[in-house]
Amino acid sequence: MPATILVGAQWGDEGKGRVADWLAAGSDVVARFGGGDNAGHTVYVGATLYKLHLVPSGILHQRAVCVLGGGTVINPVNLVREMDDLRALGVEITPERLIISTRAHIISPAHIALDKASEKARGADKIGTTLRGIGPAYMDKTGRSGLRMGQMLDVEAFAEALYAHIETANAALLRDGCETIDPQASAEAYVDAAARLRPYLRDTTRYLNERLHDGARVLCEGAQGTMLDIDHGDYPFVTSSSPTSGGALTGLGFGPLYVDRVVGVTKCFSTRVGSGPLPTELSGALGDRLRGTGAHFWDEFGTTTGRPRRCGWMDTVMLRYAAQVNGFSEIVMTKLDVLSGFDTIQIATAYELDGGVIDYMPMTTAEQNRVKPVYETVAGWREDIGGARQWNDLPAAARVYIDRVAALCATPINTVSVGPERDQLVHRQ
Ligand code: GDP
Ligand code: IMO
Ligand code: MG
């Protein structure tokens, strides 16, 4: 059975891009199934740093055909820019290598303005969105008033529909005292982008089912993370899509019997960008130490927004929950090199909640906000592990740490990364 689903196990930015780059090497097709350019997936190859927002990481592998599935939301102007930026780095992008679903929904300038207006109106309770218009685009989708990429096939009708959509949104923006959008200028920019993207539009559902039927290996590249899932995350501090493994099937349109591998990606500690619970969050020197100063591109500052990420210790209550929600067959652990140099490392194994101890995710976000982690302390290691390539090259304490996290989640961890470069991956023999 040929499909692998790769998802973020935490709050996003787990290193999915670099893990997708590894798995893409053995894949015929790499498909994004949800989210939009709120994602920022970093892949570092040789001396080149690729920051992918919508284009699947498989584009860096000559053999893979990349797909943007129907569950994604696409800002056509930003997508065209990203494709041009990748071409400038020498990446070949043609309609043979990238195909875009006619069912994917469009993010308009009005969605971006509405995202900003909604965040402003929430004040201190803001979600901390990426301001890419994601929420309003998915709201129009579920409200059955969205624009789909397939509408671009008929230029005149598309321009009219976009114009009308922006005029409707302008009424709402005016009501909220926000600046309105120029429908004419937007329609022109989007019609230009549509002309560029039209050759890439296809029925990706039919394409994927035909390829799967013929035995092609398909990698479903998740964006965001389990705790940002609209259903399973810390609602309302979530994104508006389903980044969990179920979302891969609805976002791409094939059945579960094709899936034989579900890979969860976790950092060896926790990070979150935006509002919402982060039970193991560390303020002060320890948090700063995990975040880094920003001197390295891999330090904990958002790939899409540049915001500093909140940092804390590994939370296995959350990771166990993620393993259940997604049905992980394995977990890949990233950024192990960042934990070098600690005398001891903490792992949250349970939560204290209202005087009791629980070892599962509480039912409500309000409770999740009140939990205090219960920690187990393990020994750290001092060695620089960036050069490790064999499991036995890892210090004994690092192997104990990996095995303890795997045992606490009842899920194997057979691959870890020890640096951002393509070859800085270590597999258990
Ligand atoms: P994604 O959204 O899940 O693809 O993750 P991001 O790309 O937003 O953030 C992960 C960051 O960690 C990127 O800068 C990666 O280059 C970097 N990274 C990934 N794996 C490792 C690793 O093993 N060590 C270090 N130091 N950095 C890593
Ligand atoms: P990748 O794919 C980290 C977060 C935002 C905010 C919430 C809602 O790089 O892991 P949105 O703009 O989606 O409405 O914001 O979700 N968020 C991410 N955090 N990585 C991402 O993507 C994210 N995509 C959205 O910070 O808290
Ligand atoms: Mg990211």
Side-chain angles (χ1 to χ4, degrees):
M1 285 180 288
T4 295
I5 301 176
L6 169 84
V7 297
Q10 300 170 300
W11 290 269
D13 300 329
E14 297 90 347
K16 296 176 296 294
R18 66 110 64 224
V19 177
D21 176 62
W22 164 52
L23 293 172
S27 306
D28 302 300
V29 179
V30 181
R32 273 278 303 271
F33 54 86
D37 61 340
N38 50 345
H41 294 181
T42 316
V43 185
Y44 191 47
V45 187
T48 310
L49 189 63
Y50 300 93
K51 291 184 178 182
L52 301 142
H53 297 284
L54 265 168
V55 177
S57 303
I59 204 76
L60 305 179
H61 293 266
Q62 199 57 41
R63 193 165 71 98
V65 174
C66 292
V67 173
L68 286 173
T72 60
V73 283
I74 297 177
N75 180 322
V77 173
N78 289 356
L79 176 57
V80 165
R81 189 178 309 128
E82 181 174 339
M83 288 159 68
D84 287 343
D85 288 349
L86 285 167
R87 283 193 187 102
L89 291 172
V91 180
E92 187 198 336
I93 304 185
T94 60
E96 287 72 46
R97 296 221 50 218
L98 176 68
I99 61 178
I100 303 171
S101 173
T102 49
R103 296 183 175 90
H105 275 250
I106 292 176
I107 299 181
S108 77
H111 291 136
I112 296 172
L114 290 166
D115 196 357
K116 288 181 185 154
S118 156
E119 284 288 87
K120 196 166 150 216
R122 283 172 188 265
D125 296 328
K126 69 176 183 183
I127 310 288
T129 74
T130 59
L131 302 178
R132 294 296 188 274
I134 303 294
Y138 277 115
M139 281 162 73
D140 272 352
K141 171 177 172 170
T142 52
R144 293 164 294 181
S145 54
L147 297 168
R148 303 216 286 184
M149 291 296 283
Q151 289 176 251
M152 289 179 165
L153 293 169
D154 178 343
V155 187
E156 269 176 41
F158 172 62
E160 269 174 40
L162 185 72
Y163 199 101
H165 153 79
I166 290 180
E167 284 198 316
T168 308
N170 275 344
L173 288 165
L174 267 180
R175 253 196 327 269
D176 291 345
C178 299
E179 252 181 64
T180 55
I181 307 287
D182 175 357
Q184 189 59 39
S186 297
E188 279 167 20
Y190 273 54
V191 164
D192 285 351
R196 298 274 309 273
L197 294 177
R198 217 168 293 127
Y200 297 82
L201 294 176
R202 273 176 77 172
D203 182 346
T204 55
T205 304
R206 190 152 67 87
Y207 175 79
L208 284 166
N209 276 280
E210 283 172 4
R211 295 295 311 266
L212 284 161
H213 179 265
D214 292 345
R217 290 216 58 92
V218 174
L219 173 65
C220 311
E221 177 178 345
Q224 289 80 51
T226 301
M227 295 311 291
L228 296 173
D229 184 280
I230 186 77
D231 293 299
H232 305 291
D234 308 304
Y235 192 89
F237 302 105
V238 291
T239 190
S240 298
S241 66
S242 303
T244 43
S245 56
L249 304 179
T250 47
L252 295 174
F254 61 79
L257 294 183
Y258 276 123
V259 180
D260 66 353
R261 193 176 182 193
V262 183
V263 180
V265 184
T266 182
K267 273 178 200 160
C268 55
F269 53 99
S270 302
T271 67
R272 176 168 204 158
V273 59
S275 317
L278 182 62
T280 60
E281 183 166 9
L282 295 165
S283 51
L286 278 177
D288 291 345
R289 163 84 174 70
L290 290 172
R291 183 176 309 107
T293 58
H296 307 110
F297 69 81
W298 61 82
D299 287 345
E300 297 297 347
F301 295 82
T303 308
T304 298
T305 58
R307 292 176 292 176
R309 297 179 186 142
R310 300 153 64 197
C311 296
W313 296 119
M314 164 61 70
D315 180 347
T316 61
V317 182
M318 193 283 296
L319 202 54
R320 264 198 301 279
Y321 173 72
Q324 288 175 344
V325 166
N326 294 290
F328 293 149
S329 49
E330 70 198 82
I331 290 175
V332 174
M333 186 187 268
T334 60
K335 295 197 88 167
L336 201 61
D337 50 306
V338 173
L339 279 189
S340 288
F342 285 98
D343 290 332
T344 56
I345 296 170
Q346 311 264 74
I347 304 173
T349 56
Y351 293 150
E352 261 178 45
L353 176 65
D354 303 335
V357 173
I358 58 170
D359 62 0
Y360 51 83
M361 186 61 69
M363 284 192 297
T364 66
T365 303
E367 287 174 311
Q368 178 71 348
N369 260 321
R370 290 203 300 278
V371 299
K372 298 263 173 301
V374 177
Y375 285 117
E376 179 176 302
T377 303
V378 296
W381 59 92
R382 297 235 144 247
E383 297 89 328
D384 175 353
I385 59 173
R389 293 295 177 272
Q390 307 288 323
W391 203 255
N392 282 334
D393 294 342
L394 296 170
R399 282 181 271 137
V400 168
Y401 178 72
I402 298 162
D403 289 344
R404 185 65 188 136
V405 172
L408 285 163
C409 301
T411 308
I413 301 180
N414 293 327
T415 305
V416 298
S417 71
V418 293
E421 290 183 38
R422 194 176 250 178
D423 70 341
Q424 287 184 299
L425 276 176
V426 185
H427 306 283
R428 197 189 291 268
Q429 280 87 19

